[in-house]
Amino acid sequence: TVKDLANIIQLFEDRGGEEQSVMDIARSLQMLPSKVSRLLKSLEAEEFFEKNTTTGKYHLGIRFLQPGLLYVFNHPLRRIILPHLEHMAHEMNLPAGWAIFRNDRIIVIDRFPTGKRSIVSRVGSNVPLHSSSYGKLFLAYLPSGEQKRLINSTEYVKFTPATIADAKRMKEEIRQTQKNGYAVDLGETAPDISSIAAPLINERNSLVAALSLAMYKAKPDPALLKKTAEYLTDRAKFISRQLGYRGHAGL
């Protein structure tokens, strides 16, 4: 039963939280509809799932949100990183954020905004691998086997005309990220926003998170982009040393 529940939750995640009917779930997971219905009704009573009375379909309930928020706000790196975000946002007058990579997904832990307007990615949300600076950075650090699997299995959704549209172009972008030591999103996820992401590395020489700054231009001036990237990578190296890293924080 625990395995069946895990498979149902994974199905909702894979489909972006979209509502599912009992028959949809049963067909997708090759389970008996009666068993699916029993599981969902039991979990609905505990507020893990909610039923849309109009469509008869189910969606994830409020009880799934609570442990997720606890995970985000009690992440062990947050105490170290959060003060830097505030400092970066004020010093550069740009939104600053950081994210982790879990189960092939990017999770934004914190985003410290400026007074201008909000950025497209929200705290706790999944971010596209192929278009975001976070995604490119995490891909660049993955072992070659995992990197190849994700590059080949990614659905290259075109969010803007600048979005990378195929695996070949993605491989080129990763090589450039490895060469630079940071990743960029130049209007590829949102048409009027760019971002840069730099690695946070721990004492085991492992990438544990990504630090970012965003700009309200799809194509910022090259000199500004370089200056911002240098500032961000310097700050990321400083934080990495706080995390116990003693080497060169490059790829």
Side-chain angles (χ1 to χ4, degrees), residues 68-79 81-82 85 96-102 106-112 121-125 127 134 138 208-210:
L69 289 176
L70 286 173
Y71 175 81
V72 167
F73 292 120
N74 289 284
H75 195 283
L77 298 180
R78 193 168 187 260
R79 176 182 57 83
I81 297 171
L82 194 56
L85 290 190
W98 72 286
I100 59 173
F101 188 65
R102 293 290 184 277
I106 300 160
I107 302 170
V108 179
I109 303 293
D110 284 297
R111 180 173 53 77
F112 201 95
S121 56
R122 299 175 182 174
V123 173
S125 66
V127 178
Y134 283 137
F138 286 124
V208 291

Side-chain angles (χ1 to χ4, degrees), residues 36-49 58:
V36 173
S37 181
R38 261 196 326 273
L39 278 170
L40 291 176
K41 284 180 179 177
S42 297
L43 291 163
E44 182 186 6
E46 300 297 327
E47 297 185 319
F48 282 104
F49 283 91
Y58 285 87

Side-chain angles (χ1 to χ4, degrees), residues 213-227:
L213 284 169
M215 292 167 280
Y216 298 106
K217 293 180 180 180
K219 293 183 178 180
D221 177 76
L224 174 62
L225 185 67
K226 182 180 179 182
K227 177 184 175 183

Side-chain angles (χ1 to χ4, degrees), residues 8-242:
I8 290 173
I9 295 169
Q10 186 64 54
L11 180 67
F12 276 88
E13 286 189 13
D14 291 343
R15 296 182 178 178
E18 185 178 321
E19 288 187 340
Q20 305 292 319
S21 69
V22 168
M23 291 305 299
D24 289 335
I25 297 168
R27 280 194 296 267
S28 298
L29 300 179
Q30 298 183 339
M31 293 172 60
L32 290 173
S34 57
K35 185 175 185 179
V36 173
S37 181
R38 261 196 326 273
L39 278 170
L40 291 176
K41 284 180 179 177
S42 297
L43 291 163
E44 182 186 6
E46 300 297 327
E47 297 185 319
F48 282 104
F49 283 91
E50 296 175 7
K51 187 175 184 178
N52 185 325
T53 55
T54 302
T55 64
K57 295 182 178 183
Y58 285 87
H59 58 266
L60 296 176
I62 190 67
R63 288 287 294 277
F64 279 112
L65 175 64
Q66 294 163 347
L69 289 176
L70 286 173
Y71 175 81
V72 167
F73 292 120
N74 289 284
H75 195 283
L77 298 180
R78 193 168 187 260
R79 176 182 57 83
I80 295 173
I81 297 171
L82 194 56
H84 290 284
L85 290 190
E86 183 174 3
H87 178 79
M88 289 164 57
H90 286 154
E91 190 166 65
M92 298 296 285
N93 196 29
L94 296 172
W98 72 286
I100 59 173
F101 188 65
R102 293 290 184 277
N103 300 321
D104 297 347
R105 288 179 170 82
I106 300 160
I107 302 170
V108 179
I109 303 293
D110 284 297
R111 180 173 53 77
F112 201 95
T114 61
K116 293 179 180 179
R117 54 190 170 116
S118 62
I119 291 293
V120 69
S121 56
R122 299 175 182 174
V123 173
S125 66
N126 291 324
V127 178
L129 270 175
H130 66 292
S131 64
S132 68
S133 57
Y134 283 137
K136 294 172 188 177
L137 189 75
F138 286 124
L139 281 171
Y141 266 86
L142 285 175
S144 58
E146 292 181 52
Q147 186 186 95
K148 183 178 180 180
R149 173 180 62 82
L150 284 170
I151 289 172
N152 292 332
S153 64
T154 292
E155 183 181 355
Y156 291 92
V157 177
K158 289 281 287 183
F159 300 110
T160 76
T163 306
I164 291 173
D166 57 71
K168 181 180 179 181
R169 179 71 183 88
M170 191 74 244
K171 291 174 185 176
E172 294 171 0
E173 188 75 7
I174 288 172
R175 282 193 291 270
Q176 189 62 47
T177 296
Q178 292 169 336
K179 180 181 177 181
N180 292 340
Y182 60 86
V184 295
D185 166 3
L186 301 178
E188 298 163 58
T189 304
D192 57 348
I193 294 172
S194 296
S195 67
I196 306 172
L200 297 180
I201 305 172
N202 66 8
E203 75 283 358
R204 295 186 298 276
N205 196 26
S206 298
L207 177 70
V208 291
L211 193 69
S212 78
L213 284 169
M215 292 167 280
Y216 298 106
K217 293 180 180 180
K219 293 183 178 180
D221 177 76
L224 174 62
L225 185 67
K226 182 180 179 182
K227 177 184 175 183
T228 306
E230 288 174 351
Y231 173 88
L232 181 65
T233 52
D234 283 347
R235 181 61 57 175
K237 289 173 185 177
F238 182 85
I239 298 172
S240 293
R241 287 194 292 272
Q242 287 188 301

